Structure formats: C-alpha cells, structure tokens
C-alpha cells in the first residue's frame, strides 16, 4: 500500500532535485552579475571571469540527465552574456573583441 504513494513522490523529488541544481547555478550567476555591473576594477573583473569559468565548468562536468540539456544550454548562453558584458566594461575586453572578430 505504501509503494503506490511513494512511486508518485520519487519522480517528483528527483525532478525537483535536478532543477534545484540548475537554479543554484542561476543564483550564483545573478549574484555575480550584480557585482559585475557595479563599479569594478580590472582585478575584480578578472576574478568575476574566473568565477564564471568555474560555474560553467561545474555545469559541463556535472552529472545531470539529458532531459535537462536544453536548460543547461540556456544557462550557458546566460553565462556567455554576462561574460560578454564584463569584457565590454574592461579596456582589455575591447581589444579582445576586436581580435575575435
């Protein structure tokens, strides 16, 4: 009798846990973005870029089901957006964008 209610709860808990891991990265990204768009020094921007790399590495190397791949790719696009904005703010970022183009 207890098996049936448990069978309904387990998939929900699994999905919630997977989504919580993704949302945690979004929380880190939002915190980083708030700092990045304030007044920052070159050293602070370098540290922010390093932290962005760490967030992205955790996303890539994390073990998550393929069913959330779309969410992960969208998160990586958002990371790229924040990285671009940080690079735009730095004088070195201007030179770097010219080299890429």
């Amino acid at each position: 009798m207890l098996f049936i209610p448990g069978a309904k709860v387990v998939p929900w808990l699994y999905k919630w846990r997977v989504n919580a891991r993704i949302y945690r990265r979004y929380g880190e990204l939002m915190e980083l973005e708030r700092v990045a768009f304030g007044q920052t020094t070159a050293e602070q921007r370098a540290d922010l870029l390093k932290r962005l790399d760490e967030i992205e590495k955790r996303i890539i190397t994390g073990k998550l089901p393929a069913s959330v791949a779309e969410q992960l790719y969208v998160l990586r696009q958002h990371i790229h957006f924040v990285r671009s904005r940080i690079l735009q703010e730095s004088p070195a970022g201007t030179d770097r964008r010219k080299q890429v183009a």
Side-chain angles (χ1 to χ4, degrees):
M1 288 291 178
L2 293 176
F3 177 73
I4 293 174
K8 291 181 180 182
V9 171
V10 170
W12 178 84
L13 281 173
Y14 178 74
K15 184 178 179 179
W16 175 82
R17 193 174 151 142
V18 167
N19 285 332
R21 291 171 65 186
I22 294 169
Y23 296 147
R24 190 174 315 124
R25 301 297 168 247
Y26 268 110
E28 293 172 9
L29 183 61
M30 288 171 37
E31 178 186 335
L32 197 141
E33 187 177 26
R34 281 187 208 105
V35 173
F37 297 139
Q39 293 291 334
T40 57
T41 65
E43 294 83 21
Q44 289 170 321
R45 286 190 297 275
D47 181 57
L48 292 170
L49 290 170
K50 181 180 173 187
R51 289 172 54 195
L52 273 176
D53 290 342
E54 291 169 2
I55 292 170
E56 189 167 31
K57 182 179 178 183
R58 284 196 304 268
I59 291 166
I60 293 170
T61 60
K63 298 198 186 288
L64 290 169
S67 61
V68 296
E70 184 176 351
Q71 290 175 280
L72 294 176
Y73 282 111
V74 170
L75 176 55
R76 289 182 67 195
Q77 288 175 333
H78 293 153
I79 290 170
H80 179 72
F81 169 76
V82 173
R83 183 179 288 120
S84 312
R85 292 289 306 265
I86 292 171
L87 290 172
Q88 284 177 352
E89 298 295 323
S90 67
T94 306
D95 297 333
R96 190 171 178 177
R97 281 185 284 132
K98 288 180 183 176
Q99 290 174 358
V100 172

